[in-house]
Amino acid sequence: FGGCLERSKQLETEPYDSWEAYGNAKCANLLHAKALCTINNDDKGITAFSVMPGGIHTGLQDHVDWWTMIPQGAATTLLCATTAPKDTAGEYYDNCKPNPKALEAVLNAIGSDAPERTYNITKALLKDLGFE
């Protein structure tokens, strides 16, 4: 998890390692969902989740031999989009249920301010690209 926010401004993995890059992307997703639900959201009603749909074969993982069927993988995303309890907003969902240990592990590894840092890095990158 440590590389998730401590790499270059572009959050790149150098030298490139596919599993480290995947882990960084999942970590950033988890932190961004938490930040969206807590930063400047008192009156906006934003709900965000990070989800683990399972191993869905996309062609990028030809060397991995475990897979989840597409409907099974979509179930967690659909649950979060439609019926997840609002008090679990910002949580990491795995197999249709919240898994608070995932966020806890990330925050323990890289600091409790990690969601806010992720949000600020994202905002700065978007501003650099002309989005305000």
Side-chain angles (χ1 to χ4, degrees):
F1 297 122
C4 186
L5 294 178
E6 306 308 326
R7 298 267 179 211
S8 68
K9 189 173 180 185
Q10 290 79 30
L11 301 176
E12 295 293 335
T13 305
E14 298 173 14
Y16 184 77
D17 176 273
S18 59
W19 284 112
E20 186 175 354
Y22 175 80
N24 285 348
K26 293 302 275 187
C27 176
N29 183 338
L30 185 148
L31 294 170
H32 195 77
K34 185 65 175 174
L36 286 175
C37 291
T38 57
I39 297 173
N40 299 320
N41 186 36
D42 293 336
D43 61 346
K44 295 183 182 98
I46 295 172
T47 305
F49 299 91
S50 57
V51 300
M52 171 52 154
I56 307 295
H57 189 274
T58 63
L60 295 174
Q61 316 90 340
D62 288 335
H63 60 285
V64 178
D65 61 0
W66 46 265
W67 303 113
T68 299
M69 299 302 294
I70 291 172
Q72 180 185 358
T76 301
T77 300
L78 291 172
L79 175 107
C80 288
T82 59
T83 62
K86 289 193 182 238
D87 66 343
T88 64
E91 293 291 332
Y92 176 78
Y93 267 69
D94 184 6
N95 201 23
C96 293
K97 61 185 179 257
N99 179 352
K101 290 183 180 184
L103 178 61
E104 181 182 318
V106 171
L107 296 180
N108 286 338
I110 60 177
S112 62
D113 66 335
E116 184 176 356
R117 286 187 289 144
T118 302
Y119 179 85
N120 291 334
I121 290 169
T122 302
K123 238 175 120 172
L125 288 169
L126 289 170
K127 185 177 182 181
D128 289 350
L129 293 171
F131 298 96
E132 298 212 32

